[in-house]
Amino acid sequence: MNVRFILLLLALAAPAHAEIANSIAAELRATSLDEAECYRVREFTFRRGDATFYLTDGYLIFGKPVQGIRAAAAFYAPEAINDAEILLRPPDRGERASLAAHTGTPNLSEHFRQGIFVATDGSLDRWRADLLASPLTRPDLEMGLLLHSRFAGVARNLGQSFQVRLVHDLLNGNPEMGMFYAALTGVRLGNFDFIYDPLAREEVTLGAVASRPGETGFNIWASFETRERQRERGEPPSFGTPEHFSIEATVHPDLRLEVRTRVTWKAAMPLRGALGFEIAPAMKITGASINGKPVEVFRRESLRAMLIGGNGNEPFLLVLPEPIEPGQSYELEFIHEGNVISDAGNSVFFVGARTNWYPARGLDFATFDLRFCVPAKLQLVATGDLISETVEGDWRIVHRRASSPVRMAGFNLGDYESVTLNRGGLSVEVFANRRAESALEPKRHTIIIPGPPYTGRGGNPAQRGPQIITMPAPPAPDTRARLRSLAGEIAEAMDWMSSQFGPPPLPVLTVSPIPGFFGQGFPGLLYLSTLAFIDEADRPPSARGAALQTFYDEILYAHEAAHQWWGNLVAASTYRDDWLQEALANYTALLILERRKGARALENALVSYRDLLTRPIAEGRTLESSGPITWGMRLRTGARPDPWRAITYDKGSWIIHMLRRRIGDGAFLKFLRALRNRYEYDAITTEQFRELASEFVPKDTPDRNLVDFFDHWVYGTGIPQLQLSHSVKGSLLTLTLRQTGVPEEFTVDVPVEIRVAGRKDPIIRWIKSDAEPVQVTLKLPGALQRVELAPGQAVLALR
């Protein structure tokens, strides 16, 4: 492809056209509360989702209509005798525990004196109609003037915090898919937010904005599906899904990224007005079209919506020139650019927007065709098979294609040396930087040698000036030291995983370095920390030690490679299920560690995970008690150590390991293969995972459906301390199990292995722990040789 032609295409933007969305946004920004629409309200009740609001006594002022709809209102209770209240009871134990952790009570019953409401579901117009239906209702102009001066600015600012969503809903004109938001000032809890959104997987969210070190975040107090959706097993409405992405991208010498993205998108429902997408904040949309017709792009900062969403992406809209019909495919085209690539020094680059550098709606499976144009001195790697790579003058043109569906596409670039290995029909390409990034280069240091003493004038002692010696910097670490051995280890790991789980989604796996201390696994593309490519002795002191050596040399590459199956082939359904991807990937890495270094290496890793999980934090609690693993991203509190990482990766690995010990090694690998076969190119929930795992639990094992197991280890918290004692009298063996360190209601099934003379296989006896000591007696078929509690680290516990 001609480079100049690509650049010309990227420079094109949509011609001028009527900006409907921008005019609505301007109207929203200009609108205000209406002084003439203020009313006294008494015993006014309404419901949103599972929340009930009582405006017992106070004043309600409505905003002026926008596109014929009132989208804002404010409530105020000026006197001590005035009041309002919100009642909310989360539908499950985990969310009640979350609410209690933030508010001190598992059910919300909070009085408030003022509140701002922003809605596109028709609520506010219905309220006004209900109020005016009474012949006694009269506007209170004096109070209207007071409330306008008090709340108009706040209401306007909150409206702008949701303006992309407001414009979307006003354009689409379907109140059944509209949102309802309330910013309340509670008597006890202070400022907090409530949102009901039928388009979200969990319609109800309750929480508050919180400042964290270096950032502003949103603390989710509770988030859940409404009881109605749970009863009906409903799903949020789907507008449609992408089928194919065709992306042409140019990386300029100054690292600016220009992109033309074409998406074949299939509609799932009738739609008019606008279609929403997301992209990295650093990427600017300069033009768009649908089926070749230029369309308006609407994008504005929506701070509150982004904080509550929590994914860091920025929403924008395509204004539809005509209604979209279900079942039809549409060609969407975006022209976008931005600075998402940074220079770490020495031709080592960092791609910041690794998953959102092109527009998308969530992570759906689609095929990708990728064409990159980069400076000829650099190499580029990306998702998919390499179709062609040519150099035209100052530019390198790279064409890659993912013919099998994948959920995302990534890329990386640098000055590389590479090794390619082929194993069992799979090609593994490993690229290493020729030089280390600046942060890893040793620095020169200075030695100061004090001068010798001497006798000065008058016989007084003196000191000569110090001698300053600047020592040369040691040699930079060799970023290619482990290139070949790492390639062999990755190829071996991929070959074993393919034999156990079936082939990966793509036949080519490309591995490239990234500055920092982490990795990431895209379909067909891995990022590995530069530290994984250099010898342990050359790593910075902060990255050395036995545990870190195991991580960089054994765990990291295998974990990211395992994401080819767990995450890229079998996906998580919601953020609550994300732990499955990370726990399965990490435990798969432990299985590979076990194959390479033995069972003791795996068990030592689990012990180190347990030690971190039981580390004390504030108020005498442990890190693991921060919340159940299904809270997902909500565990990211900014604390150190990070509760999200420890619970998701470390406790998640323990959960998978305990399942393995229940199921047995052979059946466990069959379970993983069944998991891939049943849910490939699909998303799985935690409950579906439990149901599938229960099919492989042996018949003589307690809790065969794993309900209690998941209730304690997945949906709950707590790591018990277990102590087993035994005594033998004649042929009778008495076992006594004691449990401490957890609440009284905590109980788990614990296996005890008993070995007796003359018997090859051990006797396994399961004991359910309790707050009180549990004693069981059994008759021995021979002389007792050994009693072992939870052998093979079968239970996450302190002993």
Side-chain angles (χ1 to χ4, degrees):
M1 177 176 290
N2 184 279
V3 174
R4 292 183 180 178
F5 179 65
I6 294 177
L7 296 176
L8 177 62
L9 289 176
L10 295 174
L12 295 177
H17 50 274
E19 294 194 337
I20 302 171
N22 281 283
S23 65
I24 294 175
E27 191 177 350
L28 280 168
R29 291 192 297 271
T31 194
S32 181
L33 297 177
D34 191 341
E35 301 99 323
E37 292 286 344
C38 180
Y39 304 95
R40 182 73 178 265
V41 293
R42 291 187 176 92
E43 306 300 333
F44 187 80
T45 304
F46 61 92
R47 287 182 60 84
R48 283 300 169 271
D50 288 354
T52 303
F53 292 79
Y54 299 92
L55 306 185
T56 306
D57 189 8
Y59 292 86
L60 192 61
I61 182 172
F62 294 95
K64 295 178 180 179
V66 177
Q67 299 288 297
I69 295 176
R70 297 178 193 272
F75 171 82
Y76 184 51
E79 305 293 341
I81 59 172
N82 305 135
D83 187 34
E85 186 179 10
I86 176 175
L87 297 180
L88 176 66
R89 183 177 182 271
D92 62 75
R93 187 187 73 172
E95 289 309 304
R96 291 193 289 273
S98 176
L99 184 60
H102 288 94
T103 69
T105 176
N107 300 309
L108 184 70
S109 175
E110 180 71 359
H111 293 264
F112 60 92
R113 302 284 299 279
Q114 63 184 40
I116 305 294
F117 306 105
V118 178
T120 54
D121 61 354
S123 296
L124 308 186
D125 286 305
R126 289 196 297 271
W127 295 358
R128 181 176 177 274
D130 290 345
L131 290 172
L132 293 178
S134 170
L136 301 178
T137 300
R138 294 288 185 274
D140 190 322
L141 184 58
E142 182 179 352
M143 185 58 70
L145 291 169
L146 174 64
L147 297 193
H148 179 275
S149 65
R150 185 181 183 98
F151 295 115
V154 179
R156 186 180 300 113
N157 289 339
L158 284 174
Q160 291 180 17
S161 286
F162 290 97
Q163 62 179 319
V164 173
R165 176 59 184 272
L166 295 180
V167 171
H168 175 276
D169 290 355
L170 292 173
L171 279 169
N172 287 359
N174 185 353
E176 292 185 1
M177 294 193 293
M179 59 165 279
F180 177 87
Y181 166 80
L184 308 175
T185 302
V187 172
R188 183 175 64 92
L189 299 175
N191 296 329
F192 64 96
D193 297 11
F194 169 89
I195 187 167
Y196 172 74
D197 181 4
L199 299 184
R201 188 66 183 86
E202 297 178 345
E203 308 106 299
V204 174
T205 301
L206 184 75
V209 174
S211 294
R212 299 168 183 162
E215 63 173 335
T216 299
F218 188 82
N219 286 337
I220 295 178
W221 298 355
S223 177
F224 51 86
E225 293 180 319
T226 59
R227 289 172 172 83
E228 180 181 2
R229 181 176 283 182
Q230 290 180 4
R231 282 195 305 270
E232 297 178 355
R233 296 183 178 271
E235 297 283 341
S238 171
F239 294 143
T241 55
E243 296 178 319
H244 178 71
F245 285 82
S246 179
I247 301 177
E248 298 170 352
T250 297
V251 179
H252 290 273
D254 63 357
L255 300 182
R256 182 169 54 91
L257 180 66
E258 283 188 313
V259 190
R260 177 176 186 166
T261 299
R262 297 187 188 94
V263 185
T264 303
W265 187 80
K266 189 172 185 178
M269 62 184 296
L271 189 65
R272 64 184 181 90
L275 183 61
F277 285 85
E278 294 181 338
I279 198 169
M283 294 297 289
K284 178 183 178 183
I285 307 292
T286 59
S289 67
I290 299 179
N291 288 346
K293 297 179 180 179
V295 297
E296 178 188 0
V297 176
F298 177 74
R299 183 178 181 181
R300 290 288 187 279
E301 183 181 75
S302 297
L303 181 59
R304 205 71 157 209
M306 289 180 65
L307 285 176
I308 294 173
N311 61 12
N313 292 336
E314 200 165 270
F316 69 93
L317 304 177
L318 295 186
V319 180
L320 303 177
E322 55 191 29
I324 278 180
E325 299 298 329
Q328 298 294 315
S329 292
Y330 295 83
E331 295 297 321
L332 314 180
E333 184 175 302
F334 306 87
I335 308 297
H336 48 108
E337 62 179 54
N339 295 303
V340 297
I341 306 170
S342 56
D343 190 347
N346 299 328
S347 294
V348 178
F349 305 105
F350 181 82
V351 182
R354 294 180 297 282
T355 61
N356 53 359
W357 57 280
Y358 56 90
R361 287 178 57 88
L363 295 175
D364 294 299
F365 288 98
T367 54
F368 282 79
D369 193 273
L370 307 171
R371 297 175 187 266
F372 286 89
C373 182
V374 302
K377 64 181 181 180
L378 299 178
Q379 291 170 279
L380 183 130
V381 296
T383 296
D385 299 338
L386 179 64
I387 305 302
S388 65
E389 181 170 348
T390 60
V391 175
E392 298 181 14
D394 294 333
W395 297 95
R396 182 185 302 272
I397 315 299
V398 180
H399 181 194
R400 285 192 175 246
R401 181 182 297 147
S403 300
S404 298
V406 294
R407 300 174 69 219
M408 67 190 86
F411 71 93
N412 205 357
L413 72 165
D415 182 15
Y416 296 136
E417 182 176 314
S418 65
V419 170
T420 299
L421 296 177
N422 294 291
R423 294 280 180 88
L426 178 68
S427 177
V428 176
E429 310 169 330
V430 183
F431 292 77
N433 290 315
R434 296 183 188 276
R435 294 182 61 187
E437 59 259 31
S438 298
L440 293 181
E441 287 192 322
K443 304 297 187 290
R444 294 187 301 175
H445 62 281
T446 301
I447 298 176
I448 300 177
I449 302 175
Y454 68 97
T455 302
R457 293 181 180 178
N460 296 321
Q463 187 85 26
R464 297 188 186 278
Q467 182 180 6
I468 301 176
I469 302 175
T470 300
M471 303 296 293
D478 183 358
T479 53
R480 296 164 291 179
R482 299 189 67 245
L483 174 59
R484 296 188 179 278
S485 62
L486 184 60
E489 291 161 9
I490 295 173
E492 182 182 347
M494 290 293 293
D495 187 46
W496 180 80
M497 287 186 282
S498 298
S499 71
Q500 300 300 320
F501 315 141
L506 298 174
V508 176
L509 181 69
T510 303
V511 184
S512 64
I514 188 171
F517 301 91
F518 65 100
Q520 190 166 3
F522 289 94
L525 175 66
L526 304 189
Y527 287 112
L528 296 183
S529 168
T530 308
L531 298 176
F533 290 81
I534 64 179
D535 288 329
E536 198 265 347
D538 292 331
R539 293 169 188 159
S542 60
R544 296 179 198 165
L548 288 172
Q549 183 177 4
T550 298
F551 174 73
Y552 286 115
D553 290 356
E554 305 286 349
I555 301 294
L556 182 60
Y557 77 84
H559 175 110
E560 302 306 340
H563 274 310
Q564 298 306 299
W565 289 267
W566 319 126
N568 295 327
L569 196 60
V570 178
S573 182
T574 72
Y575 78 91
R576 292 182 180 274
D577 313 301
D578 281 344
W579 74 273
L580 288 169
Q581 299 177 168
E582 299 301 341
L584 285 167
N586 206 65
Y587 193 73
T588 300
L590 293 182
L591 290 175
I592 292 171
L593 174 66
E594 183 181 38
R595 282 174 52 81
R596 287 170 52 84
K597 299 294 179 68
R600 182 60 62 86
L602 180 148
E603 293 179 9
N604 287 343
L606 289 172
V607 169
S608 69
Y609 294 168
R610 183 194 64 195
D611 292 345
L612 178 60
L613 290 166
T614 55
R615 183 178 298 182
I617 56 174
E619 301 173 357
R621 298 183 297 114
T622 64
L623 188 62
E624 186 270 346
S625 70
S626 299
I629 199 169
T630 52
W631 284 2
M633 62 182 181
R634 291 159 56 182
L635 293 165
R636 285 177 165 163
T637 62
R640 290 292 179 268
D642 180 11
W644 169 80
R645 179 166 293 278
I647 293 171
T648 301
Y649 290 74
D650 299 0
K651 185 179 180 183
S653 295
W654 265 101
I655 292 170
I656 304 300
H657 180 72
M658 288 189 287
L659 282 175
R660 174 191 174 186
R661 288 291 180 243
R662 275 178 168 256
I663 293 173
D665 287 358
F668 177 73
L669 290 174
K670 291 180 181 178
F671 158 61
L672 294 182
R673 182 63 177 256
L675 177 63
R676 177 256 166 79
N677 291 340
R678 191 172 298 184
Y679 291 100
E680 65 178 4
Y681 302 116
D682 202 355
I684 186 173
T685 67
T686 297
E687 276 299 288
Q688 289 170 327
F689 181 78
R690 178 193 63 78
E691 290 169 359
L692 179 59
S694 68
E695 296 178 14
F696 293 84
V697 176
K699 294 180 180 180
D700 57 348
T701 304
D703 187 27
R704 281 193 61 199
N705 58 13
L706 298 174
V707 170
D708 290 342
F709 179 91
F710 272 65
D711 191 40
H712 290 298
W713 297 116
V714 176
Y715 300 119
T717 63
I719 297 177
Q721 181 159 359
L722 300 176
Q723 182 181 5
L724 180 71
S725 59
H726 70 276
S727 61
V728 178
K729 187 175 182 180
S731 62
L732 294 180
L733 170 65
T734 300
L735 303 171
T736 304
L737 180 66
R738 293 177 173 82
Q739 172 182 277
T740 57
V742 287
E744 289 187 358
E745 65 273 13
F746 189 97
T747 63
V748 293
D749 293 304
V750 183
V752 177
E753 183 179 279
I754 304 160
R755 290 193 175 271
V756 297
R759 183 183 176 111
K760 179 181 178 181
D761 296 326
I763 300 170
I764 303 296
R765 181 64 183 262
W766 290 85
I767 304 176
K768 183 176 285 293
S769 69
D770 202 348
E772 298 296 325
V774 179
Q775 194 170 83
V776 297
T777 301
L778 67 154
K779 188 173 183 179
L780 295 172
L784 179 66
Q785 293 181 325
R786 190 179 67 184
V787 174
E788 186 176 359
L789 175 68
Q793 301 293 342
V795 175
L796 172 56
L798 294 169
R799 282 175 261 174

